[in-house]
Amino acid sequence: MAIAESWHVRSRGRECAATQRPFTDGEIIVTALFPDPESSGYLRRDYCTEGWQVFQETGEKPFSFWRTKFAAPTGSETVNVVEKLSAEEILQRLVEEDEDHTENARFILAVMLERQKLLRETDSQRTPTGILRVYEHRKTGEVFIVKDPDIPLDQVEAVQQEVFVLLENNGRSPEKPEETPEAVAEEPAEGTSEESPADPESEQEIAPATDEETEAAAPPEEDASPATSPDRDTSEA
């Protein structure tokens, strides 16, 4: 089975994998990663100095190993699921999801956390698909294996902007709301009114008529005197 190119390994153990002796606070131990034959990930084993010497005699070759200092857990740390995720929690989520489109963002996050002294690069391994970089959380001992995507310089700024968006949205890219066809159809066109245009003639204001206009419009009055007949003698008394 193919080995995953990015992986999140839980925090360090509390006892030696070879001797089963519990570690003491501040003790120098050896952390080793081995390909897991039953999955696409890695197995982690922590050894005390004596136990590491015993392991080396077996001849088994780890994928990666390094020396680190054991820090005893305090038990006072609590996690509030409502709070905003930290950068290392977002990196943990992205590495565990191992989606192709977040490969660049994972690497930038790891580099950013290394510069903040939260992670330290303990090893790098060249594989047929590229370089795998191994980072250890300085406080918890968690291990992140992140592929170096060799980002071109002209794309670094865009990837950094992507990381900023992830940090603001708890590791998720905000989804743009999709407009439904009904909503688009109901939306009036720009510069137009929702009401139908009124009849231009009905919008004209009718001014009151003046006296002169009223007289001119009135029909001519008929002559009230009787008409004289041309045949009638008007000279009769």
Side-chain angles (χ1 to χ4, degrees):
M1 184 178 294
I3 298 295
E5 294 181 337
S6 293
W7 199 258
H8 168 240
V9 183
R10 299 299 179 183
S11 57
R12 61 178 70 94
R14 301 188 181 186
E15 63 180 23
C16 176
T19 66
Q20 283 72 53
R21 177 180 66 81
F23 299 131
T24 59
D25 189 33
E27 179 180 358
I28 299 300
I29 63 176
V30 178
T31 296
L33 300 179
F34 302 86
D36 185 357
E38 298 181 358
S39 70
S40 60
Y42 299 89
L43 294 173
R44 172 180 182 154
R45 300 175 193 165
D46 297 293
Y47 299 88
C48 62
T49 305
E50 299 80 7
W52 180 246
Q53 293 175 353
V54 173
F55 164 76
Q56 287 181 311
E57 295 175 359
T58 64
E60 185 179 359
K61 300 294 183 183
F63 170 77
S64 177
F65 68 92
W66 63 92
R67 294 183 180 273
T68 186
K69 181 182 292 187
F70 177 78
T74 60
S76 60
E77 297 180 357
T78 58
V79 178
N80 188 347
V81 295
V82 180
E83 291 182 354
K84 189 174 181 179
L85 295 180
S86 63
E88 55 263 37
E89 289 171 328
I90 293 176
L91 175 61
Q92 174 182 332
R93 170 188 287 178
L94 296 181
V95 168
E96 290 179 344
E97 293 174 350
D98 195 25
E99 296 181 355
D100 292 340
H101 69 276
T102 64
E103 182 178 82
N104 292 344
R106 278 176 264 161
F107 178 70
I108 293 295
L109 268 173
V111 173
M112 181 184 73
L113 292 171
E114 182 185 16
R115 292 178 178 175
Q116 295 176 356
K117 305 299 183 183
L118 294 176
L119 299 182
R120 68 185 185 100
E121 184 177 349
T122 60
D123 193 16
S124 62
Q125 295 287 338
R126 185 173 295 277
T127 68
T129 59
I131 298 176
L132 298 184
R133 301 193 180 276
V134 182
Y135 295 93
E136 182 185 46
H137 196 287
R138 292 178 181 270
K139 184 176 181 181
T140 65
E142 290 177 292
V143 173
F144 300 93
I145 303 174
V146 180
K147 181 182 178 182
D148 185 343
D150 193 19
I151 305 173
L153 291 177
D154 59 349
Q155 297 181 16
V156 170
E157 184 175 353
V159 177
Q160 289 176 336
Q161 183 61 36
E162 178 185 351
V163 170
F164 294 151
V165 173
L166 291 173
L167 292 174
E168 290 296 324
N169 295 275
N170 274 359
R172 301 298 185 192
S173 298
E175 296 181 359
K176 296 182 179 179
E178 296 182 358
E179 293 185 355
T180 60
E182 292 78 5
V184 175
E186 293 176 358
E187 186 175 327
E190 184 178 357
T192 62
S193 173
E194 295 183 0
E195 299 179 357
S196 57
D199 185 0
E201 295 182 359
S202 65
E203 293 183 353
Q204 294 180 355
E205 183 178 358
I206 301 176
T210 61
D211 295 342
E212 291 79 2
E213 292 175 341
T214 303
E215 293 178 0
E221 297 181 357
E222 296 183 356
D223 188 3
S225 59
T228 58
S229 173
D231 297 334
R232 185 179 179 180
D233 187 1
T234 58
S235 61
E236 293 182 358

